[in-house]
Amino acid sequence: MDNLTFRHSVLLLEGLKVPRQSSYAVFIVILVAYVFAMVSNIGLLILISTEKNLHDPMHLLYCNLPLNDILGTTVMFPRLLNDILKETSERYITFAECVTQAYFVHIFIASSHYVLMIMAFDRYVAICNPLRYSAIMTNKMVVKLSTIAWGSAKLVVTILIVLTVRLSHCRYKIENPICDNASLFKLSCEDVSVNNMCGIVYTAIVGFLSVLYIFITYVRIATVCITRKSKALNSKAIKTCSTHLAVYIIMFICGATFIFLHRFPEYSESRKLAGIMLHIVPPGLNPLVYGLQTKEIRDKVVQFWCRKK
């Protein structure tokens, strides 16, 4: 294989700089975290799909979250686990595979915001307009909101990736454990200011809109709870909204840390760790925070374990 072909068709993933004597320990830790995230999210999907009394709009909308978490962990960890046991000089990936991985990595990140926004809308309707909830949150509305969330993520991410793929690249080393859009356009010796600006603007808009929407939604929910002075309503709001807010904060902090560190090459190792945490902390904690804190799901899990015993 000549150098030109190598540089343009095969890339080298820098990956994690793990000492050889520690590689198996790191492999086991990441594998356990990956298996836990996958089992818990798949388990919740199976539980919701098989229990008819969980086939309500709230739980059907919630299914978007474990689906997205399964995508986020699967697109990263099998490849990462495979690379940990290899020498850093042997961690090759084709350009096509790298672009595919980057596409789904950004779908996962963008969908996390959109999915939590549509779930916030569901909570707003349930608490602020309980008498109209069944009329507004129909199965058709659930499908419509889910389509908007996933469709918006796919549309914008496709534009970002297409802008990057059009570039030629004179470098072959991805300085990251996984491929993402920024790592890809950094391979080019062309002017990438358009790519960089589009990435920053899109990230800022999505982050700002999601924060603003969540903030406005919760302010209106809090206002309704205060004005109505209903203990039952307040209890319902605290139980459902606190879990949703916890999941959003976890996702936002992990994502913002990774994006922020991408702008500072001197913190490359911290950025790599932040990227891994983004793909394992929210998917691992979401089933615990959101699933088990939801009374209906928690009761079904308890019943399942009681039958097992």
Side-chain angles (χ1 to χ4, degrees), residues 6 10-13 79 82-83 86-94 97 172:
F6 176 83
V10 180
L11 306 175
L12 181 66
L13 276 172
R79 177 84 203 188
N82 182 60
D83 286 344
K86 291 182 178 180
E87 296 291 340
T88 54
S89 60
E90 298 176 355
R91 296 170 180 174
Y92 300 131
I93 185 171
T94 66
E97 289 174 335
Y172 68 92

Side-chain angles (χ1 to χ4, degrees), residues 38-268:
M38 290 293 291
V39 169
S40 56
N41 281 289
I42 292 174
L44 278 177
L45 283 176
I46 293 174
L47 178 64
I48 293 173
S49 63
T50 55
E51 294 291 338
K52 291 185 178 180
N53 61 340
L54 295 180
H55 293 177
D56 56 87
M58 183 184 77
H59 293 101
L60 293 177
L61 274 179
Y62 170 69
C63 285
N64 287 287
L65 199 58
L67 279 172
N68 192 47
D69 289 341
I70 291 169
L71 169 67
T73 52
T74 301
V75 75
M76 178 179 185
F77 285 99
R79 177 84 203 188
L80 179 64
L81 289 167
N82 182 60
D83 286 344
I84 286 176
L85 300 180
K86 291 182 178 180
E87 296 291 340
T88 54
S89 60
E90 298 176 355
R91 296 170 180 174
Y92 300 131
I93 185 171
T94 66
F95 183 74
E97 289 174 335
C98 193
V99 170
T100 302
Q101 187 182 54
Y103 178 79
F104 285 107
V105 163
H106 286 280
I107 289 291
F108 163 70
I109 296 172
S111 296
S112 297
H113 286 272
Y114 296 133
V115 167
L116 288 171
M117 287 171 70
I118 64 174
M119 290 171 68
F121 173 76
D122 173 75
R123 292 299 82 208
Y124 167 75
V125 175
I127 295 170
C128 298
N129 295 284
L131 298 180
R132 297 187 58 207
Y133 181 80
S134 58
I136 296 174
M137 295 304 298
T138 60
N139 290 337
K140 185 177 180 180
M141 177 60 76
V142 170
V143 173
K144 183 178 179 180
L145 291 173
S146 300
T147 302
I148 290 173
W150 289 94
S152 300
K154 290 179 180 178
L155 174 63
V156 182
V157 170
T158 298
I159 293 172
L160 292 177
I161 296 298
V162 168
L163 286 174
T164 296
V165 172
R166 69 183 174 84
L167 300 169
S168 62
H169 53 278
C170 59
R171 305 180 184 92
Y172 68 92
K173 189 175 183 180
I174 299 288
E175 298 178 349
N176 225 16
I178 58 170
C179 296
D180 63 339
N181 187 50
S183 296
L184 278 171
F185 68 65
K186 286 178 182 178
L187 297 175
S188 178
C189 292
E190 299 181 39
D191 181 11
V192 297
S193 56
V194 173
N195 300 74
N196 199 30
M197 184 58 65
C198 286
I200 292 173
V201 169
Y202 172 67
T203 301
I205 290 175
V206 172
F208 175 75
L209 286 180
S210 67
V211 169
L212 181 64
Y213 184 82
I214 298 293
F215 176 76
I216 292 174
T217 300
Y218 276 94
V219 167
R220 299 189 70 174
I221 289 174
T223 302
V224 169
C225 291
I226 292 171
T227 54
R228 293 184 183 176
K229 298 179 181 179
S230 169
K231 290 184 178 180
L233 181 66
N234 291 344
S235 177
K236 179 182 178 181
I238 291 173
K239 287 180 180 179
T240 59
C241 294
S242 60
T243 52
H244 176 271
L245 191 59
V247 168
Y248 179 80
I249 291 173
I250 291 169
M251 179 275 298
F252 189 87
I253 291 175
C254 291
T257 303
F258 173 68
I259 293 169
F260 178 77
L261 291 175
H262 230 309
R263 312 302 168 188
F264 299 92
E266 62 270 26
Y267 298 114
S268 61

